[in-house]
Amino acid sequence: MAVERTLSIIKPDAVAKNVIGEIYSRFEKAGLRIVAAKMLHLTREQAEGFYAVHKERPFFNDLVNFMISGPVMVQVLEGENAIAKNREIMGATNPKEAAPGTIRADFAVSIDENAVHGSDGPDTAAQEIAFFFKENEICPRTR
Ligand code: RTP
Ligand code: MG
């Protein structure tokens, strides 16, 4: 299995709950390394651009309004099979369907406010990482 990078966002609901550290701990326990990170309060334009793929969906406006409702923590995770591993520890989109012990089962309350985002494939991971980080802002581990 190859070493991959994926984009993760801790969404405004989880930042407000003060569980950034607990979520980072889940990443680290799963063997994912944080190789870039920044806290941002997204503008409407940034949130619309990031979620452009969902532009025609009925939940798009609510999603954008939620994502700009407070600061988010954005990070690049690196590790073996990082894209699928992150999706696994996040749990299902709807926290009511998320497996016990996943981030969404433990920290999210609804499908609209579901604590975390994770890239869903290699192409979206590359696009989403480039959306937030310049290559020289990413710090691969050398030890
Ligand atoms: P994300 O992109 O945030 O990691 O979540 P995901 O892949 O699990 O879900 P996705 O289908 O990409 O949807 C993006 C976000 O839109 C909201 N959503 N609401 N009301 C609904 O039916 C609905 N469906 C999706 C969720 O907040 C989801 O995370
Ligand atoms: Mg998605």
Side-chain angles (χ1 to χ4, degrees):
M1 202 49 77
V3 173
E4 292 177 333
R5 288 178 180 172
T6 190
L7 186 88
S8 159
I9 303 178
I10 300 178
K11 296 184 179 183
D13 59 324
V15 173
K17 280 189 185 133
N18 210 24
V19 292
I20 294 170
E22 296 209 35
I23 293 174
Y24 271 23
S25 169
R26 306 278 178 109
F27 297 150
E28 293 178 342
K29 283 182 182 136
L32 296 170
R33 298 177 294 275
I34 297 157
V35 295
K38 57 177 80 160
M39 183 174 268
L40 293 169
H41 196 140
L42 297 177
T43 64
R44 181 170 296 278
E45 291 66 34
Q46 280 176 308
E48 287 176 351
F50 183 76
Y51 277 120
V53 63
H54 294 309
K55 193 162 76 245
E56 307 302 331
R57 307 284 285 279
F59 57 79
F60 181 69
N61 262 328
D62 288 344
L63 175 60
V64 168
N65 284 330
F66 165 58
M67 290 299 288
I68 67 175
S69 67
V72 296
M73 195 74 203
V74 187
Q75 44 283 323
V76 178
L77 306 178
E78 186 180 81
E80 294 281 326
N81 206 14
I83 298 167
K85 192 176 280 178
N86 181 43
R87 298 281 297 187
E88 191 182 315
I89 65 175
M90 284 165 58
T93 308
N94 185 344
K96 293 179 177 62
E97 292 162 12
T102 60
I103 294 169
R104 282 168 167 163
D106 291 345
F107 300 119
V109 290
S110 72
I111 193 169
D112 300 306
E113 303 204 354
N114 61 2
V116 280
H117 163 83
S119 308
D120 59 12
D123 296 344
T124 49
Q127 278 167 26
E128 291 175 0
I129 290 168
F131 188 91
F132 285 111
F133 295 96
K134 299 188 188 78
E135 191 57 37
N136 68 5
E137 293 178 307
I138 301 173
C139 304
R141 299 295 165 78
T142 54
R143 51 180 282 178

